[in-house]
Amino acid sequence: MIYCPSCGTANKSGSKFCNQCGHNLTGVSKAACPACGAANPTENLFCDSCGAKLAPLVTKGSEERAEIKGLSLPTKPLDEEGQGPLDGEEMPAAQEEEASVPEDTAKEDAGLPEEGEAEEEMPEWLLRLRAASPASGEQPEESAPSETPSPEDWGEFPSEDLEEADVPEWLQQLEPAEPMPPQEEPSAPEVEEGEEALLSDVWAEEANRDQLAAEPAEPEAPAPAEEEPPALKPTEELPQQAEEAPGGIPALAQPPSDEEDLAAWLQAEGPVILEPDEGEEEEEDIVFEPRAGETEEAPDQGRLPSWIETLAPEGVLPEELGGEFVEEGRRTPEAMGLERAEIPSWLEGLRPGRPGEQMPEAEETVEESGVLQGVVGALRLVQDIDPLPSSQMRPMSEPVAATPAQANLFADLLSRPTSSVVKPRPVSAAPKRERGFAWLATLLLIAAVLLPFFATGLVPGGDTVAVPQPVSDLAERIRDLNETDVVLVSFDYDPGVSTELDWPAEVILEDLEARSVNLLVMGVTPTGPGLAARFDIPAGEALFLGYLPGQEMGLQRLASNLEGIFTVDFFSNAVSDAPFGVKSLNDVALVLTIAASQETVRWWMEQVGTQTGAPPIGAIVSAAIEPAVRPYYASGQIVGLVSGWVGAQAYEEAAGLPASEGEGGPAALEAQSLAHLAIAGLILLGNAVYWGKRLFGRRA
Amino acid sequence: MSEAIGIWISALLTVMVFSYLLGDNPLYRLAEHLFIGTAIGYAVLVAYYSLLRPKLILPLVQAPLDNWTLVVPLLLSGLLLGRLNRRWHRLGIVPLAFLLGVGVALTIGGALFGSLLPQILQTIVSINPAAEGWNVALSNLILVAGTLSALFYFYFTADSGTGLGRVKSGFVKAWRGIGKWFIMVTFGAIFANTVMARVSLLIGRLQFLIYELPKSLR
């Protein structure tokens, strides 16, 4: 049995959640080992993990128990597993410790309170009753302690303070005329008048029931007053709601929330529960420890003890009572001579059905699918479970419409064979259309590029260009060079753009060769000198200085100490052996940088062009960087500028050189012009489609 | 014969690169890796034969006492290799600091006197048509307006909306709008030039396949 720490409801052993409030009982159903901390079932006397005895911890806890106070509510009998009785004041959380208490220890712990304590806690009205009771003084001390209320007190109390109408008639008839065995002293509940009526019933019934249970082995003998009171002790704690009742008022004044629990509770409280069924046996509350020499044999369920039979109302034979018990397991209040009005109205509604009444039969359901297919009433248990109070009822989740589809999809995915190869996603319609346009543009561009090589004159004037001012300025600067002048040509581009820059470089070198100037060939990129070596440059008129490392720092040193940087040329020949001597950059008449990156042009401008006495710098650049280089020409830092193929052909025209053939030349320029037209047409077409879709799309 | 083989290899690699039009494929990757590997190998050889061998190794081997100062750059180069190891990577800070310090100093000085000041001076031009003529005056006006408006476009500070701040804010906002158009036109020109350059490369490659490849077969 597990008591809920939240509401105090008794739940069956092994329960994970409280039947009443749904509280999690997993932590409650285990007892922690004091040695290793392992969780053990509450029935364990020794730890499953380390074998340590769990009793010491419980014994210590039991010594610290609080005194018994208040009314002993229905508790549970000792179960078959030997679970020890529990103290009525124990908190539910300590029950797991209490479960492992040895029987002897439990007996000691569950003994009656000390005399002094009983004297202090005895209610005033009880003291008055005891003083007024004639039997109290007649009781021998050895048989009944003076501080302990005698059974006579229990029998006399309700009739004194309660209204006559509130006392059940059968209780009055059942008032024990003989001394009752001593029982647990109730605390001093300060109850209102309205509550006393109910409490009187309960207390009287409690006394009756205790008396019944205290004489199981000797049903024939009435409880003698001289006999030592049995070791009556409550076995389990009070329900929490009873303990927490304000002002010490037992929670019996509050109606239980659950109808079925209340029914069991009423049966336990009622005067006629003598034959509980199996389920009710676990919920039985009070355990009577048999005295020495007595057996634990249960009394005959079908027969009342003789002393009860003597207390039976007039006209009710013991046989009738016994037969009624055997047949129905209970006696109705009418059979006991009670009137219906004596039961509070709120309890009346919760009373279990009378014998013979037909309970509505629940429909039996048959499972139609799943592993429970064909099982009848498989889900009926759900309906039998006590529902939660409406305030604690959790919202039920209902399957949505998409759930079966999702479940099927998940099952389908699980059934598919696994593969580590990622399959390409199918291309949707829109990307296909876009890819089609991309291929169309590519084919159009390739056609525009190839057509001029097979049919010239497709673009009128496409093979001729106007000579821009930067080109003519550079051509004029080169034209002014003398044969003794030295021109430094720096190949500052990579093979990737050699197709575009080889033609301008070739045109410039051709013009320089025609002027018979001396050349210094170098490069600020590692691949530059190698590209320069492809051109047909007379060795006697040129010196291959090779690669100049250091980028900006190298150019800075070049401007200050050219002779110190280049000791050997690209072919490992000593620069000092060159046919023309150049000691510094000031000896150079013109610097030409052939660059594909604006960075290299900027290095020349910033590190060489800013030096005092620096030679003029001309640039032959890729068309891609012309916008970035042109400002240097506008500022006068560059004396001339040739850009790409267009610049190369313009330079040919400006320098009066023959037109190139083969790679580069009119065919290449015409192809370039046609390609530019195709690209421009595609851009215009794309814009027209875009704006058309926006305009007409909006109107639509 | 060797030239013909080189032409055929070049043509084959060109076609392999063009195969990227059909999507990423092993042929394109092979050509790409060959290009990168060849370029790096060539750069290493050039650096060795153009720099290390003639300016460091040979002087130290042939006349170490006369060129003992070359030990300093050699040591700095060795420390730079410490960047390859996590344990010794802090040793590479010294040569890196030296390189960055010298480079930044040169860049600042060169940029100031080689680019910034000359370009600023270039924008101080006359916009008087009487003195320069209408064409030059208009060109200068566009130059000045474009330069100023482009600079205003990168003026992100917001002013208060009261009094003089409102006037200033409106002024900056108007110039920012003009500057945005100048910047867009500049980007368009750069893009057009880039397209032109890349089309030239395409034409050159196709021209190579059309003209150079048949020549090798003759």
Side-chain angles (χ1 to χ4, degrees):
Chain A
M1 187 68 67
I2 303 171
Y3 279 79
C4 175
S6 176
C7 65
T9 301
N11 298 273
K12 291 183 179 180
S13 298
S15 298
K16 295 182 177 180
F17 297 94
C18 178
N19 284 338
Q20 181 69 20
C21 66
H23 190 83
N24 191 353
L25 302 177
T26 53
V28 180
S29 60
K30 298 292 182 182
C33 174
C36 65
N40 292 276
T42 55
E43 299 83 5
N44 278 17
L45 294 178
F46 298 91
C47 176
D48 288 338
S49 177
C50 63
K53 190 174 182 180
L54 303 176
L57 178 65
V58 177
T59 304
K60 180 181 178 182
S62 61
E63 293 173 356
E64 298 174 358
R65 281 189 220 125
E67 300 165 354
I68 299 175
K69 294 179 180 179
L71 182 64
S72 176
L73 290 179
T75 51
K76 169 196 172 187
L78 190 66
D79 55 20
E80 298 176 356
E81 299 175 359
Q83 194 170 359
L86 299 178
D87 196 321
E89 289 291 326
E90 277 291 328
M91 293 297 292
Q95 289 178 2
E96 52 191 23
E97 299 177 0
E98 199 67 23
S100 60
V101 176
E103 193 173 75
D104 51 351
T105 307
K107 289 177 180 177
E108 294 174 7
D109 296 336
L112 291 174
E114 298 295 332
E115 296 179 1
E117 296 173 355
E119 185 70 23
E120 292 174 2
E121 296 182 3
M122 189 175 295
E124 185 181 357
W125 56 269
L126 203 55
L127 294 174
R128 284 189 282 106
L129 284 176
R130 190 179 62 178
S133 174
S136 60
E138 300 174 1
Q139 293 294 333
E141 290 186 5
E142 61 274 12
S143 60
S146 59
E147 286 78 11
T148 303
S150 62
E152 292 84 345
D153 295 335
W154 286 95
E156 295 172 1
F157 155 69
S159 61
E160 181 177 310
D161 290 344
L162 300 180
E163 295 180 9
E164 191 66 23
D166 292 336
V167 180
E169 184 180 351
W170 60 273
L171 273 181
Q172 296 177 6
Q173 296 173 356
L174 289 175
E175 276 184 18
E178 300 176 8
M180 300 292 289
Q183 65 177 29
E184 182 184 16
E185 177 191 14
S187 64
E190 297 179 1
V191 292
E192 302 288 338
E193 287 185 5
E195 295 170 344
E196 288 178 353
L198 173 64
L199 292 178
S200 62
D201 296 345
V202 174
W203 290 336
E205 294 167 6
E206 182 80 7
N208 252 340
R209 195 160 55 89
D210 293 346
Q211 188 178 8
L212 289 173
E215 303 289 341
E218 300 174 357
E220 299 294 332
E226 297 77 14
E227 191 174 324
E228 184 177 353
L232 175 65
K233 52 188 176 183
T235 57
E236 292 189 0
E237 60 188 308
L238 288 168
Q240 192 172 2
Q241 58 185 353
E243 293 181 357
E244 295 177 354
I249 299 174
L252 284 177
Q254 301 175 1
S257 57
D258 184 80
E259 183 175 357
E260 189 167 339
D261 287 348
L262 182 63
W265 169 77
L266 282 177
Q267 292 173 5
E269 290 300 313
V272 293
I273 298 176
L274 294 177
E275 190 182 14
D277 53 25
E278 291 184 358
E280 292 172 345
E281 278 182 1
E282 290 189 4
E283 297 177 0
E284 196 62 42
D285 299 310
I286 297 179
V287 172
F288 299 94
E289 291 293 330
R291 291 171 295 187
E294 292 181 352
T295 62
E296 297 184 20
E297 186 180 2
D300 189 358
Q301 300 293 331
R303 186 174 181 183
L304 284 174
S306 58
W307 63 272
I308 286 187
E309 293 178 0
T310 60
L311 297 176
E314 291 293 335
V316 179
L317 296 177
E319 291 76 11
E320 294 176 355
L321 287 173
E324 186 176 353
F325 290 147
V326 170
E327 293 175 1
E328 303 173 4
R330 66 186 65 184
R331 277 175 34 174
T332 60
E334 289 79 0
M336 299 290 295
L338 298 177
E339 296 179 0
R340 180 64 60 189
E342 294 172 353
I343 300 177
S345 59
W346 59 270
L347 287 177
E348 179 65 27
L350 300 175
R351 191 177 59 83
R354 297 182 178 185
E357 287 183 357
Q358 279 294 71
M359 298 295 290
E361 292 185 359
E363 298 179 359
E364 286 189 346
T365 58
V366 180
E367 287 296 316
E368 299 178 352
S369 61
V371 295
L372 298 177
Q373 185 175 6
V375 177
V376 179
L379 300 180
R380 289 288 298 135
L381 289 175
V382 177
Q383 301 176 15
D384 293 336
I385 293 176
D386 298 336
L388 289 173
S390 59
S391 59
Q392 302 177 6
M393 188 75 73
R394 298 184 179 89
M396 297 289 289
S397 61
E398 297 181 356
V400 296
T403 301
Q406 292 171 352
N408 292 332
L409 177 61
F410 185 67
D412 182 42
L413 290 175
L414 290 180
S415 63
R416 292 180 183 176
T418 59
S419 174
S420 60
V421 178
V422 179
K423 296 180 179 178
R425 291 183 303 174
V427 181
S428 59
K432 273 187 175 178
R433 191 165 58 243
E434 293 178 0
R435 288 173 64 88
F437 282 127
W439 273 106
L440 182 63
T442 303
L443 294 177
L444 180 62
L445 185 60
I446 292 176
V449 167
L450 292 179
L451 275 178
F453 292 104
F454 301 101
T456 58
L458 295 175
V459 181
D463 53 349
T464 58
V465 294
V467 179
Q469 187 64 34
V471 176
S472 61
D473 288 348
L474 183 61
E476 187 176 351
R477 177 73 64 162
I478 292 177
R479 192 182 303 121
D480 296 339
L481 292 176
N482 299 320
E483 293 182 355
T484 57
D485 289 337
V486 177
V487 176
L488 190 150
V489 181
S490 180
F491 287 78
D492 302 332
Y493 62 95
D494 295 323
V497 292
S498 62
T499 302
E500 184 187 10
L501 291 177
D502 280 349
W503 183 15
E506 184 178 0
V507 170
I508 297 296
L509 288 175
E510 185 179 355
D511 192 20
L512 291 173
E513 183 180 357
R515 308 296 173 189
S516 299
V517 295
N518 301 312
L519 296 179
L520 290 175
V521 181
M522 56 163 283
V524 295
T525 58
T527 55
L531 294 174
R534 297 178 304 149
F535 297 99
D536 187 13
I537 301 173
E541 300 175 356
L543 181 62
F544 280 86
L545 298 177
Y547 169 57
L548 176 66
Q551 300 178 349
E552 291 177 290
M553 289 176 283
L555 289 176
Q556 173 74 16
R557 288 197 64 197
L558 178 70
S560 59
N561 185 14
L562 186 147
E563 192 179 28
I565 292 179
F566 291 105
T567 56
V568 294
D569 62 2
F570 186 67
F571 303 105
S572 300
N573 300 319
V575 174
S576 57
D577 298 337
F580 50 91
V582 175
K583 297 186 180 301
S584 70
L585 206 57
N586 294 334
D587 298 332
V588 175
L590 180 66
V591 173
L592 294 176
T593 172
I594 307 172
S597 169
Q598 61 180 5
E599 296 297 319
T600 55
V601 177
R602 187 172 56 82
W603 294 341
W604 279 102
M605 297 297 104
E606 295 178 352
Q607 303 303 327
V608 177
T610 55
Q611 300 292 326
T612 303
I617 302 174
I620 299 99
V621 299
S622 168
I625 66 169
E626 183 191 358
V629 176
R630 184 173 280 273
Y632 291 109
Y633 171 77
S635 63
Q637 296 173 278
I638 291 178
V639 296
L641 178 62
V642 174
S643 172
W645 283 0
V646 177
Q649 189 176 24
Y651 187 87
E652 285 179 347
E653 293 185 10
L657 299 174
S660 301
E661 294 180 358
E663 186 177 357
L669 278 181
E670 191 170 356
Q672 192 178 39
S673 300
L674 196 59
H676 291 170
L677 287 176
I679 292 172
L682 289 173
I683 292 174
L684 291 176
L685 179 63
N687 276 275
V689 171
Y690 172 75
W691 287 106
K693 286 179 68 176
R694 286 196 63 176
L695 293 176
F696 292 103
R698 279 182 181 177
R699 290 178 183 176
Chain B
M1 182 63 186
S2 60
E3 185 179 359
I5 294 175
I7 290 174
W8 274 101
I9 293 176
S10 300
L12 181 62
L13 291 174
T14 301
V15 173
M16 290 167 67
V17 172
F18 277 146
S19 68
Y20 190 74
L21 290 171
L22 302 175
D24 197 2
N25 59 84
L27 294 178
Y28 169 76
R29 289 297 181 93
L30 177 61
E32 186 182 33
H33 293 168
L34 281 175
F35 176 77
I36 295 175
T38 305
I40 291 177
Y42 183 79
V44 170
L45 284 178
V46 168
Y48 176 77
Y49 284 106
S50 302
L51 181 66
L52 294 177
R53 184 172 180 271
K55 297 182 178 179
L56 181 66
I57 297 175
L58 288 180
L60 282 177
V61 172
Q62 294 172 354
L65 295 179
D66 297 337
N67 302 297
W68 65 269
T69 55
L70 294 177
V71 176
V72 176
L74 179 63
L75 182 61
L76 290 176
S77 301
L79 293 177
L80 197 60
L81 294 177
R83 301 290 297 179
L84 301 176
N85 192 332
R86 181 183 295 272
R87 187 176 179 182
W88 306 102
H89 78 283
R90 294 183 67 85
L91 297 176
I93 293 177
V94 177
L96 277 181
F98 176 78
L99 291 174
L100 289 177
V102 173
V104 169
L106 289 176
T107 301
I108 291 177
L112 183 63
F113 296 102
S115 296
L116 190 58
L117 290 178
Q119 296 304 314
I120 292 175
L121 291 174
Q122 182 60 27
T123 57
I124 304 175
V125 292
S126 173
I127 56 174
N128 183 9
E132 303 292 338
W134 281 103
N135 293 339
V136 176
L138 182 61
S139 176
N140 291 343
L141 180 63
I142 293 173
L143 176 66
V144 173
T147 304
L148 291 177
S149 60
L151 290 175
F152 271 115
Y153 181 77
F154 295 98
Y155 185 83
F156 300 114
T157 305
D159 295 303
S160 61
T162 59
L164 188 61
R166 179 179 297 179
V167 177
K168 181 182 175 183
S169 179
F171 179 79
V172 170
K173 186 176 181 181
W175 276 99
R176 286 186 64 184
I178 299 173
K180 184 173 71 175
W181 279 102
F182 271 98
I183 291 173
M184 297 305 293
V185 169
T186 303
F187 285 162
I190 293 174
F191 176 73
N193 278 273
T194 303
V195 169
M196 186 168 63
R198 299 302 176 256
V199 168
S200 300
L201 298 180
L202 174 64
I203 293 172
R205 283 295 87 192
L206 293 178
Q207 204 172 22
F208 167 78
L209 293 177
I210 294 172
Y211 285 100
E212 299 298 326
L213 193 59
K215 283 182 184 178
S216 65
L217 297 177
R218 296 171 189 169

